[in-house]
Amino acid sequence: MDPTRIAFERRGTGRPLVLLHGLGDRRQSWSAVLPRLVGDYRVFCIDLPGFGRTPAPPADEPYDVISMTDAVEAFCRFHGLERPHIAGNSLGGSISLELGVRGVAGSVTVFSPAGFSDLLGRWGLRTVGAFAHLATRVPMPVKERLASTRPARALARTVLRGDPSTPQAKATHFSVRGLQEGSPFIRMIPRIAEYDFVSRPIDCPVTIAWGDRDRTLLPSSAEHAHLRVPTARMVSLVGSGHIPMADDPVSVAEHIRWTCRSADLGHLRNAHLAAGAG
């Protein structure tokens, strides 16, 4: 994908940090976390292809986790970002890990990344995909009315938020705009259901965090993640659901900072060792 077509917001100064959202979301999902990072990093919040203001690739072109990883790597090259820190949620977490494998990332911090589901979790994703496909046949005004009903909003809070009863969670609702035939969400969800992160070395600090109330990608997936990325620092986010940036932005920002600092200290240590050897 042409990297000039990827929409993004850039704020702050310092070493670059790229933030990647989840499936069906957009860069604004990081809005509560961003102010806590811009004092130390030059932060790039990206709209992934097909979401927010970034167009999806044509129907005859690849559109999956790997093609999205290619797009973000091209974005980093185009903007001259050399081994930026990268953080991502869900789909964005999978892309972040793939970029770590490629050596593009200076550090990787991920929150409930896709690609580690067991058979039950994979079945759940396939079921969601099947219902989403059926929903494309329902007229948009009907879908919008259904999504605004009390039961639908309660379900959205339960699925997406750690504590559905909080005042902040009450604004949560399902977006139905993506439930159209051929939309990016409909194209991508079966790819996510079948995607597996394959165990490979990642030559940078990695943190994998999982909300203990994640009802979309179950917390048990963290066990598979630990087996496939054994060098990762594993974190349980108490009280958080699938989108911890909304549930606990303070902890999310601190875990990103921890991983970034770990990488930066490693670079400094290696530089001092190299200078001493010279």
Side-chain angles (χ1 to χ4, degrees), residues 150-171:
R150 182 174 293 180
R153 294 178 73 91
L155 179 62
R157 293 195 300 270
T158 300
V159 170
L160 297 175
R161 301 301 296 268
D163 183 354
S165 66
T166 63
Q168 297 85 353
K170 289 183 179 179

Side-chain angles (χ1 to χ4, degrees), residues 152-197:
R153 294 178 73 91
L155 179 62
R157 293 195 300 270
T158 300
V159 170
L160 297 175
R161 301 301 296 268
D163 183 354
S165 66
T166 63
Q168 297 85 353
K170 289 183 179 179
T172 304
H173 65 280
F174 288 126
S175 173
V176 296
R177 285 291 169 185
L179 299 178
Q180 302 179 72
E181 191 66 42
S183 71
F185 182 84
I186 295 297
R187 290 172 62 188
M188 180 59 68
I189 194 165
R191 304 290 188 271
I192 293 293
E194 301 307 322
Y195 168 74
D196 264 323
F197 180 81

